[in-house]
Amino acid sequence: MASAQDVVEKAREADLRLVRFLWCGNDGTVRAKASAVGGLEGRIESGIGLTVAMQAMNGLDHLQPVEGMGPVGEIRLVPDPETFRVLPYAPRTGGMLVDLMQLSGEPAPQCPRSFLKRMATRLEERAGVLEVAFENEFSLARVEDGAFVPVDSSLCFSTIGLTASQEYVDALVDALERQEIGLEQYYAELGHGQQELSTAHAPAVRAADEQVLVRETIRGVASGFGLVASLAPKPWPENAGNGGHIHFSLWKDGKNVFHDPAAEDGLSATARSFVAGILRHLPGLCGLTAPSFNSYHRIVPQYWAGAFTCWGHDNREAPVRVPSLFWGSEEASTNVELKAADASCNPYLAVGGLIAAGLDGLERELEPPEPVEVDPATIPEDERARRRIYRLPATQERALDALYDDDVLTVAFGPTLSTSYLAVRRSEWEAYSAGDETFEQQGHFSKY
Ligand code: GLU
Ligand code: MG
């Protein structure tokens, strides 16, 4: 286990001046306060002070009226020394992910990272460790006369797209390597300027920490090239959406509990119950995994984001997709993908919610419905209704209502986290639904 002293030593070795204490808001924004290297050890131990109001702040920096989150009161940003990295895209700067702690030294009830730790522990006690990997799509743009213009107009997986961004991507991969974040694949995807990056899986909390670092790195490296990288779910109304797909599998004693070699699709009864739990809670879960106003311009039928409550094998129109296995590593490659997710989410809340939903499936030994092996939009409406295939929430407002109505998710959150989260995200709905397309784009493009 790394200590405060280890971090100070590393910071001095790397000749750092500042170390960012990073956290993610209820609005999905990554925020930070930085400590000077002098005094760093003390700040690691007792945290940096933060107004208690901060988790009531929305994505427009409008503070929402939430009881106990006003001008009076303080929490502490207490970093986890294990997460320390030198940040390659910021001069002489390091970073660490934090827990939000009360002055008593207990985790604050609104702390997203502590919520995920609680969920990971509950799951571990029952079934094992959730390994999670994020697959981020994002858009690379230049700013011309105040407008975001994609860096290329290349075709899907086209090498012309690869060439257009190759200097940036080389620097991006280098920055990830230096932070010891494992890269799996990179390519230029369907939309103009669209890139996709998949990173290695890790236990839930570390995966969420790394998702914050990856988002920071994607944007930070772009900024060094005078570009803007955006992980907004629908960066341009007429262009492909950016998914932040979440892959997951469950491990115990070195074995993938999701894997059953005897099953035709390789999925164990445990995996099926976990999937059933996710499907049962999917509308409310969307309020966490695809939580922004802009998210619902992405989750529409026939855009490969998954718009109906269903699961399927290699089905890219199913929000819950079971990918086919890799030859020779069948057990290791058994996993499930949640496609109804994007990088405007707070990854701790999204993965914690996913665990709560999956756990409900395990605890109640739920069975998933028949998988859907066609595009669900092509199934006649009456058949869809008979098979209980429903349209996922079509707006942020609907998704938040479904979250509010989902007792499993809100009880897992606890009252402080639920109330502040819903207040923040609902206020964004109020603001953006009253505005126009330009306001929506400005409000998401350079914030995620
Ligand atoms: N861009 C699609 C999305 O919004 C995903 C395309 C793919 O399957 O990679 O999720
Ligand atoms: Mg993709």
Side-chain angles (χ1 to χ4, degrees), residues 141-362:
R142 284 189 192 89
V143 182
E144 284 174 19
D145 301 326
F148 300 111
V149 180
V151 291
D152 65 55
S153 49
S154 74
L155 304 178
C156 188
F157 308 138
S158 142
T159 52
I160 292 172
L162 291 177
T163 304
S165 304
Q166 63 195 11
E167 305 299 333
Y168 163 73
V169 170
D170 182 50
L172 174 61
V173 174
D174 177 59
L176 293 171
E177 276 174 6
R178 289 193 209 196
Q179 294 171 86
E180 291 176 31
I181 295 174
L183 177 72
E184 294 289 342
Q185 289 187 45
Y186 158 75
Y187 36 82
E189 251 240 34
L190 173 67
H192 295 173
Q194 192 178 38
Q195 323 287 322
E196 175 166 335
L197 199 71
S198 46
T199 42
H201 61 83
V205 177
R206 203 176 96 206
D209 288 340
E210 290 187 0
Q211 170 66 357
V212 173
L213 295 171
V214 166
R215 281 174 54 187
E216 289 295 284
T217 307
I218 286 172
R219 284 191 304 246
V221 174
S223 155
F225 281 78
L227 300 170
V228 180
S230 176
L231 295 104
K234 191 76 170 176
W236 292 282
E238 68 288 356
N239 216 325
N242 288 324
H245 307 162
I246 305 175
H247 289 258
F248 52 94
S249 55
L250 188 62
W251 292 73
K252 195 179 175 95
D253 303 327
K255 290 224 166 314
N256 185 349
V257 186
F258 271 9
H259 182 65
D260 177 359
E264 202 188 319
D265 62 359
L267 276 195
S268 66
T270 303
R272 292 174 64 87
S273 290
F274 201 94
V275 163
I278 287 174
L279 287 173
R280 180 71 59 93
H281 296 285
L282 195 51
L285 190 57
C286 280
L288 299 173
T289 58
S292 303
F293 184 84
N294 192 235
S295 300
Y296 293 87
H297 289 141
R298 166 181 169 258
I299 300 192
V300 287
Q302 307 198 306
Y303 276 80
W304 294 32
F308 294 89
T309 51
C310 66
W311 68 301
H313 296 88
D314 283 334
N315 186 348
R316 287 186 164 80
E317 274 295 338
V320 179
R321 176 175 79 107
V322 180
S324 44
L325 307 182
F326 295 154
W327 301 325
S329 54
E330 285 75 5
E331 181 185 345
S333 62
T334 300
N335 77 95
V336 178
E337 177 189 46
L338 179 67
K339 286 178 74 83
D342 67 61
S344 69
C345 72
N346 176 317
Y348 302 99
L349 302 182
V351 176
L354 186 142
I355 293 178
L359 255 173
D360 189 48
L362 296 184

